[in-house]
Amino acid sequence: MMDKKISLTVEEWVVLQEQSPDGAGQIPVWFQVTGGSMMPFVRPFRDNVMIVAVKEEELKVGDIVLFPGKYAGGDYCLHRLYQIDGERVQTFGDGNLRPDHWQPKRQILGKALFIKRGRLTIDCESPRWQKVFRLWNALLPLRPLLLLPFRLMNKLHRLFPRIF
């Protein structure tokens, strides 16, 4: 099957998942990330993330998941799955200093398989990148200091897009 580039909303993608021919709902879609909460692993307006639908029982700590954001207006959020407790989950943006509120597992719409950064494609399921992600979480107490250069570069990029 030939890859075809189309634009669609997350809501349209969810409907496509439900209507997939095999019923498995595994239609991968590339999304461009617009927020900075997953820095340094996913850069806003520069990186793309391949998302596929995921069943609740397939979720595991460390997955990068897509879910409805807490703000009105159709926002969606891409954060790492931080904790699972029965039928609820807690997420945490790699660029954030505190985890998100607990939410029902059923709100998770999909998970990231790949992050495309220029010529580099990060396989989120690879053992190498899983180790990198675990190390990042282990460095949580140092995160404010480690994120400082990324946050500064992000601000400079917004102020001077042609230079940074």
Side-chain angles (χ1 to χ4, degrees):
M1 183 175 168
M2 186 189 331
D3 289 339
K4 186 176 181 182
K5 191 172 190 173
I6 60 170
S7 295
L8 62 148
T9 65
V10 173
E11 291 86 359
E12 292 167 333
W13 174 72
V14 169
V15 170
L16 279 176
Q17 299 302 314
E18 294 166 354
Q19 297 174 350
S20 67
D22 60 359
Q26 290 294 314
I27 301 169
V29 177
W30 288 96
F31 286 103
Q32 183 178 59
V33 176
T34 58
S37 65
M38 285 299 287
M39 288 284 288
F41 296 108
V42 184
R43 301 171 306 176
F45 299 103
R46 295 166 74 184
D47 294 343
N48 294 300
V49 178
M50 179 189 279
I51 304 289
V52 294
V54 63
K55 296 176 182 157
E56 289 179 29
E57 61 272 10
E58 296 172 344
L59 292 171
K60 62 187 182 305
V61 171
D63 285 345
I64 299 173
V65 295
L66 179 72
F67 57 94
K70 63 182 176 181
Y71 303 107
D75 288 343
Y76 290 86
C77 197
L78 190 71
H79 281 176
R80 192 170 305 281
L81 198 51
Y82 185 60
Q83 294 184 73
I84 300 174
D85 180 23
E87 292 303 310
R88 63 185 192 147
V89 296
Q90 187 175 40
T91 56
F92 201 145
D94 288 345
N96 291 348
L97 303 178
R98 287 179 296 285
D100 303 320
H101 296 288
W102 288 92
Q103 61 182 307
K105 257 189 199 178
R106 63 178 160 20
Q107 287 193 327
I108 304 299
L109 301 172
K111 76 174 191 170
L113 292 184
F114 298 99
I115 301 167
K116 182 92 170 122
R117 172 175 291 172
R119 294 182 182 166
L120 174 67
T121 299
I122 297 170
D123 179 353
C124 298
E125 302 283 316
S126 75
R128 174 181 177 230
W129 281 101
Q130 288 290 316
K131 287 178 187 173
V132 170
F133 297 149
R134 279 194 301 276
L135 174 63
W136 181 251
N137 281 338
L139 294 172
L140 184 58
L142 300 174
R143 197 175 278 188
L145 183 62
L146 295 170
L147 286 172
L148 194 57
F150 294 103
R151 290 182 174 191
L152 179 61
M153 288 302 292
N154 199 29
K155 284 183 183 178
L156 289 172
H157 178 70
R158 276 187 267 147
L159 290 172
F160 308 104
R162 295 178 195 265
I163 300 170
F164 292 96

